[in-house]
Amino acid sequence: MGVKLRCSCEKTMEAEETPAQTPPVPYGETLASVFTRAYPLLEHYEHDKDVLVDTIAALQRAQHAIDRLGFFSQNESLDDVSTGSIRFLLVPHIEAQLLYSMPHPENRLGDLHRIKRLETEFISQCEDYNLLSEDPILRIHQNSTSLTPMQALQMRKDRFKKERAFKAHLQKLMKEAEKTESSDLDYADEEQAREIFLLMVRLGLYKATADLKHINEEITILEAAEKAREEGRDLLQEAHEMAQRQLALPRAEPIHLTRENLMQHVFKTQPRWTVSIEEDMRQEAREAMERQRNQQLLDGERARLRALEPDADSEEAVEKARQEQLYWDEWHESHRRGEGNRMGS
């Protein structure tokens, strides 16, 4: 039987002092109810802007209450955090994702800076509990700038597989929780609920670390556009003019392969690539050095083979060569040059 996860998350947010700019807190609204209302919007895109605005306002009140109650501290480990409180690590991430999907924003650049701040806070708080350092894929992602293109591609593949495995496992645990007396995770088995909340946080980390790159790129583009507007430049007009210049470039003539064209190319003299005199001399020097090196290796091998021959055989071969040389010396002394070349001589 499930046990109610009694923790500070059951407290209502009404008793907390809310900033003047924050909308009033509805009666009886709790941190758990806000999370239960907001988290499903991450999976199901919400087109209603009013729903998103209302949910974001509730998340802001929830984050204010979390900070006031001191749910998380850098001086504690993840084991010290109560099971019911783990999910509230996701509050800034959920707010950032809903703000990122807001249709027709009035100040997109300002929203992006706010989204970046929220995601960075979420990642930093998770790192305080070693949730990044424990995951090898997230550790690699932190140093992705030093990866080669092939390593980066492999990292994205591994990241996708791990994220898909997390989602499948989370769905399985959620279905098992629905079979209990209540689908409310506050009444689920504590060990099961803790595993579910940790999976939610890890999935949020994978999403946040991946989105930060795109957020930074979009901020760079919008800042460049804003700077261009301040300088009185029209980026659309500049892009149009650049496209027109590209279209004005001379185009290559289409190639029509016919029998006559092919026959002409068969007997066509191919261009000969030429090099400078200095390059030719350097090439000859390299080839000469290569030949000399090969010859030295060959001579060394021959000397090694001769050294392996017995001394007796070497003396006999030398003596035989000496006797043969003496014979031919005597023959040359006793015969005149050209003798025997003509008959009768």
Side-chain angles (χ1 to χ4, degrees), residues 241-251:
E241 293 175 356
M242 183 179 294
Q244 292 296 326
R245 287 195 296 270
Q246 292 291 333
L247 292 174
L249 293 175
R251 297 184 180 182

Side-chain angles (χ1 to χ4, degrees), residues 124-282:
S124 176
Q125 200 164 45
C126 290
E127 179 57 26
D128 291 340
Y129 294 105
N130 297 322
L131 288 172
L132 265 75
S133 57
E134 291 177 355
D135 193 305
I137 296 178
L138 292 178
R139 283 203 312 270
I140 295 174
H141 186 273
Q142 288 180 306
N143 302 318
S144 58
T145 55
S146 61
L147 298 179
T148 63
M150 291 302 297
Q151 290 174 335
L153 177 61
Q154 185 61 43
M155 184 201 68
R156 289 194 294 270
K157 290 181 180 179
D158 295 340
R159 182 193 188 94
F160 174 76
K161 292 178 182 178
K162 192 74 172 288
E163 191 172 357
R164 186 172 57 182
F166 278 159
K167 288 182 179 179
H169 190 41
L170 179 60
Q171 291 176 357
K172 177 183 176 183
L173 292 176
M174 293 293 288
K175 289 181 180 179
E176 292 176 357
E178 290 175 359
K179 297 178 182 178
T180 59
E181 60 185 33
S182 173
S183 60
D184 187 354
L185 291 176
D186 286 334
Y187 291 92
D189 177 73
E190 182 169 0
E191 183 178 351
Q192 185 184 49
R194 193 176 187 87
E195 187 176 3
I196 289 174
F197 294 150
L198 284 174
L199 276 174
M200 289 178 175
V201 172
R202 289 192 170 96
L203 278 172
L205 274 175
Y206 272 66
K207 180 67 173 173
T209 52
D211 284 352
L212 270 180
K213 177 182 177 183
H214 306 298
I215 292 169
N216 288 327
E217 291 174 351
E218 189 172 352
I219 288 175
T220 302
I221 293 172
L222 292 180
E223 286 180 343
E226 185 174 352
K227 183 179 179 181
R229 282 195 300 271
E230 292 174 355
E231 296 174 353
R233 293 160 48 209
D234 188 347
L235 291 182
L236 290 178
Q237 182 64 27
E238 291 179 5
H240 177 71
E241 293 175 356
M242 183 179 294
Q244 292 296 326
R245 287 195 296 270
Q246 292 291 333
L247 292 174
L249 293 175
R251 297 184 180 182
E253 293 295 330
I255 300 176
H256 301 287
L257 293 179
T258 62
R259 181 183 179 88
E260 291 74 13
N261 290 339
L262 292 174
M263 292 179 63
Q264 290 176 1
H265 282 283
V266 168
F267 301 102
K268 184 177 180 180
T269 303
Q270 300 296 328
R272 296 183 61 184
W273 299 102
T274 59
V275 296
S276 63
I277 298 177
E278 292 79 6
E279 181 62 27
D280 187 49
M281 292 175 64
R282 285 194 291 268

Side-chain angles (χ1 to χ4, degrees), residues 69-80:
L69 294 170
F71 275 25
F72 308 110
S73 172
Q74 295 180 350
N75 300 322
E76 61 183 6
S77 65
L78 189 62
D79 295 334
D80 299 326

Side-chain angles (χ1 to χ4, degrees), residues 30 69 121 289 333:
T30 64
L69 294 170
E121 289 177 0
M289 292 175 65
E333 289 178 359

